[in-house]
Amino acid sequence: MSSASIYVAVLSPVVSLCVAVWGFRRTTRADRLKMFLDLQERYLASAARAGRRVMHRRLPDLKPETFDQLTEAERGDLHHALAVMETIAIAWDAGHVEQSMILNAMGRSFSSAIRKSGPYIEDQAALRGFRPYQRACRLADELHRAIEAPGRTARKAPRQVRAVQGGVEAQEVSGRG
Protein backbone atom coordinates (compact mmCIF):
# COMPACT_ATOMS: atom_id res chain seq x y z
CA MET A 1 0.00 0.00 0.00
CA SER A 2 1.38 3.39 -0.90
CA SER A 3 1.71 6.22 1.55
CA ALA A 4 -0.94 8.22 -0.35
CA SER A 5 -3.55 5.49 0.08
CA ILE A 6 -2.68 5.17 3.78
CA TYR A 7 -2.99 8.94 4.12
CA VAL A 8 -6.43 8.89 2.44
CA ALA A 9 -7.53 5.88 4.50
CA VAL A 10 -6.67 7.67 7.75
CA LEU A 11 -7.74 11.16 6.75
CA SER A 12 -11.06 10.22 5.15
CA PRO A 13 -12.79 9.02 8.37
CA VAL A 14 -11.40 11.99 10.30
CA VAL A 15 -12.77 14.45 7.74
CA SER A 16 -16.16 12.73 7.62
CA LEU A 17 -16.33 12.74 11.42
CA CYS A 18 -15.48 16.46 11.53
CA VAL A 19 -18.11 17.26 8.90
CA ALA A 20 -20.72 15.21 10.77
CA VAL A 21 -19.96 16.87 14.11
CA TRP A 22 -19.83 20.34 12.57
CA GLY A 23 -23.06 19.75 10.67
CA PHE A 24 -24.81 18.37 13.74
CA ARG A 25 -23.65 21.19 16.02
CA ARG A 26 -24.48 23.90 13.53
CA THR A 27 -28.09 24.93 14.01
CA THR A 28 -29.60 27.74 12.02
CA ARG A 29 -32.42 29.93 13.26
CA ALA A 30 -34.76 28.15 10.84
CA ASP A 31 -33.76 24.79 12.35
CA ARG A 32 -34.42 26.12 15.86
CA LEU A 33 -37.80 27.46 14.76
CA LYS A 34 -38.70 24.11 13.18
CA MET A 35 -37.65 22.34 16.38
CA PHE A 36 -39.75 24.74 18.46
CA LEU A 37 -42.82 24.15 16.30
CA ASP A 38 -42.36 20.39 16.58
CA LEU A 39 -41.96 20.58 20.36
CA GLN A 40 -44.94 22.89 20.68
CA GLU A 41 -47.05 20.47 18.64
CA ARG A 42 -46.07 17.66 21.02
CA TYR A 43 -46.70 19.86 24.06
CA LEU A 44 -50.18 20.77 22.80
CA ALA A 45 -51.13 17.24 21.68
CA SER A 46 -54.17 15.77 23.39
CA ALA A 47 -52.23 13.16 25.40
CA ALA A 48 -49.82 15.77 26.78
CA ARG A 49 -52.73 18.12 27.57
CA ALA A 50 -54.49 15.27 29.37
CA GLY A 51 -51.32 14.68 31.39
CA ARG A 52 -51.04 18.35 32.34
CA ARG A 53 -54.72 18.27 33.31
CA VAL A 54 -53.88 15.41 35.72
CA MET A 55 -50.99 17.48 37.08
CA HIS A 56 -53.23 20.46 37.81
CA ARG A 57 -56.48 18.76 38.82
CA ARG A 58 -55.57 15.46 40.46
CA LEU A 59 -52.07 15.73 41.89
CA PRO A 60 -52.70 18.73 44.20
CA ASP A 61 -55.47 16.75 45.95
CA LEU A 62 -53.26 13.70 46.53
CA LYS A 63 -50.51 13.01 49.02
CA PRO A 64 -47.58 10.69 48.24
CA GLU A 65 -49.26 7.83 50.10
CA THR A 66 -52.42 8.23 47.98
CA PHE A 67 -50.80 8.45 44.51
CA ASP A 68 -52.02 4.89 43.94
CA GLN A 69 -55.52 6.39 43.53
CA LEU A 70 -54.50 7.54 40.04
CA THR A 71 -55.95 5.34 37.34
CA GLU A 72 -53.67 3.60 34.86
CA ALA A 73 -54.86 6.00 32.13
CA GLU A 74 -54.09 9.02 34.32
CA ARG A 75 -50.61 7.67 35.07
CA GLY A 76 -50.00 7.05 31.37
CA ASP A 77 -51.10 10.57 30.44
CA LEU A 78 -49.07 12.05 33.30
CA HIS A 79 -45.87 10.23 32.31
CA HIS A 80 -46.42 11.06 28.64
CA ALA A 81 -46.69 14.77 29.48
CA LEU A 82 -43.61 14.59 31.71
CA ALA A 83 -41.66 12.80 28.94
CA VAL A 84 -42.63 15.51 26.44
CA MET A 85 -41.53 18.15 28.94
CA GLU A 86 -38.23 16.33 29.46
CA THR A 87 -37.74 16.34 25.67
CA ILE A 88 -38.33 20.10 25.59
CA ALA A 89 -35.80 20.55 28.39
CA ILE A 90 -33.21 18.47 26.55
CA ALA A 91 -33.69 20.56 23.40
CA TRP A 92 -33.38 23.72 25.53
CA ASP A 93 -30.14 22.50 27.15
CA ALA A 94 -28.65 21.52 23.79
CA GLY A 95 -29.53 24.87 22.23
CA HIS A 96 -31.63 23.23 19.52
CA VAL A 97 -34.57 25.51 20.18
CA GLU A 98 -34.99 29.28 20.52
CA GLN A 99 -35.10 29.70 24.29
CA SER A 100 -37.08 32.93 24.16
CA MET A 101 -39.82 31.12 22.24
CA ILE A 102 -40.10 28.43 24.90
CA LEU A 103 -40.18 31.08 27.61
CA ASN A 104 -42.84 33.18 25.92
CA ALA A 105 -45.00 30.39 24.47
CA MET A 106 -45.09 27.86 27.28
CA GLY A 107 -42.97 29.16 30.16
CA ARG A 108 -45.73 29.71 32.70
CA SER A 109 -47.59 26.53 31.78
CA PHE A 110 -44.40 24.43 31.84
CA SER A 111 -43.20 25.84 35.15
CA SER A 112 -46.60 25.50 36.82
CA ALA A 113 -47.16 21.94 35.64
CA ILE A 114 -43.77 20.73 36.84
CA ARG A 115 -44.20 22.50 40.19
CA LYS A 116 -47.57 20.78 40.69
CA SER A 117 -45.90 17.45 39.81
CA GLY A 118 -43.00 17.89 42.23
CA PRO A 119 -44.27 15.54 44.96
CA TYR A 120 -45.19 12.90 42.39
CA ILE A 121 -41.77 13.12 40.75
CA GLU A 122 -40.13 12.78 44.17
CA ASP A 123 -42.30 9.73 44.87
CA GLN A 124 -41.23 8.22 41.53
CA ALA A 125 -37.60 8.89 42.43
CA ALA A 126 -38.01 6.95 45.66
CA LEU A 127 -39.68 4.05 43.84
CA ARG A 128 -37.24 3.91 40.93
CA GLY A 129 -34.02 4.63 42.79
CA PHE A 130 -33.18 7.58 40.53
CA ARG A 131 -34.76 10.96 39.92
CA PRO A 132 -36.73 11.01 36.65
CA TYR A 133 -37.38 14.17 34.65
CA GLN A 134 -34.38 16.02 36.11
CA ARG A 135 -33.92 18.33 33.14
CA ALA A 136 -37.61 19.25 33.04
CA CYS A 137 -37.47 20.17 36.74
CA ARG A 138 -34.34 22.24 36.20
CA LEU A 139 -35.90 24.01 33.21
CA ALA A 140 -39.10 24.69 35.17
CA ASP A 141 -37.03 26.38 37.89
CA GLU A 142 -35.15 28.41 35.29
CA LEU A 143 -38.37 29.46 33.57
CA HIS A 144 -39.96 30.38 36.89
CA ARG A 145 -36.98 32.58 37.81
CA ALA A 146 -37.06 34.25 34.38
CA ILE A 147 -40.78 34.92 34.61
CA GLU A 148 -40.64 36.21 38.17
CA ALA A 149 -37.53 38.36 37.65
CA PRO A 150 -38.13 42.01 38.61
CA GLY A 151 -38.90 44.15 35.58
CA ARG A 152 -39.34 41.09 33.37
CA THR A 153 -42.56 40.39 31.58
CA ALA A 154 -42.86 37.07 29.85
CA ARG A 155 -44.65 38.56 26.91
CA LYS A 156 -44.02 41.76 25.07
CA ALA A 157 -46.85 44.21 25.61
CA PRO A 158 -49.25 44.25 22.66
CA ARG A 159 -49.46 47.37 20.60
CA GLN A 160 -52.72 49.21 20.28
CA VAL A 161 -53.15 51.23 17.13
CA ARG A 162 -55.61 54.08 17.01
CA ALA A 163 -56.33 56.74 14.50
CA VAL A 164 -55.42 60.31 15.48
CA GLN A 165 -55.77 63.48 13.54
CA GLY A 166 -53.16 63.45 10.79
CA GLY A 167 -52.07 59.81 11.03
CA VAL A 168 -51.87 56.70 13.14
CA GLU A 169 -50.51 56.48 16.65
CA ALA A 170 -49.29 53.28 18.28
CA GLN A 171 -48.86 52.84 21.99
CA GLU A 172 -48.10 49.89 24.21
CA VAL A 173 -50.93 48.51 26.23
CA SER A 174 -50.18 46.89 29.55
CA GLY A 175 -50.31 43.13 29.09
CA ARG A 176 -50.98 40.31 31.50
CA GLY A 177 -48.83 40.21 34.62
Side-chain angles (χ1 to χ4, degrees):
M1 225 160 117
S2 72
S3 63
S5 60
I6 292 173
Y7 180 71
V8 169
V10 171
L11 187 61
S12 180
V14 171
V15 169
S16 64
L17 182 62
C18 290
V19 168
V21 169
W22 180 76
F24 178 75
R25 300 285 296 163
R26 189 171 161 254
T27 309
T28 66
R29 184 166 172 81
D31 293 336
R32 290 191 305 271
L33 177 61
K34 183 180 181 301
M35 175 68 81
F36 166 75
L37 293 173
D38 180 50
L39 292 172
Q40 185 180 36
E41 184 178 322
R42 290 179 190 190
Y43 188 74
L44 296 176
S46 60
R49 279 196 332 264
R52 289 194 310 279
R53 197 173 306 117
V54 170
M55 292 175 197
H56 288 287
R57 292 185 182 163
R58 292 279 287 144
L59 289 183
D61 297 335
L62 300 175
K63 295 186 176 5
E65 55 273 2
T66 60
F67 284 144
D68 59 348
Q69 292 178 2
L70 291 171
T71 67
E72 199 62 37
E74 288 173 326
R75 286 179 193 273
D77 290 341
L78 178 60
H79 285 281
H80 177 78
L82 287 168
V84 167
M85 296 169 90
E86 183 76 0
T87 301
I88 292 168
I90 290 168
W92 170 287
D93 283 347
H96 293 304
V97 66
E98 241 356 276
Q99 293 182 346
S100 63
M101 288 182 183
I102 296 288
L103 176 64
N104 290 326
M106 63 184 79
R108 287 186 191 277
S109 169
F110 191 104
S111 176
S112 174
I114 290 291
R115 287 175 170 272
K116 298 272 184 178
S117 304
Y120 182 79
I121 293 171
E122 290 299 324
D123 184 62
Q124 289 297 301
L127 290 173
R128 295 178 183 189
F130 66 92
R131 184 169 166 76
Y133 314 116
Q134 289 180 25
R135 289 183 178 184
C137 292
R138 197 170 41 242
L139 176 57
D141 290 340
E142 196 172 324
L143 291 170
H144 181 74
R145 280 192 305 276
I147 291 167
E148 299 300 321
R152 164 74 172 100
T153 57
R155 297 183 188 274
K156 195 174 182 183
R159 298 183 68 87
Q160 180 180 29
V161 178
R162 61 184 165 150
V164 294
Q165 193 171 23
V168 175
E169 176 183 316
Q171 68 181 26
E172 288 192 7
V173 177
S174 63
R176 299 183 308 174

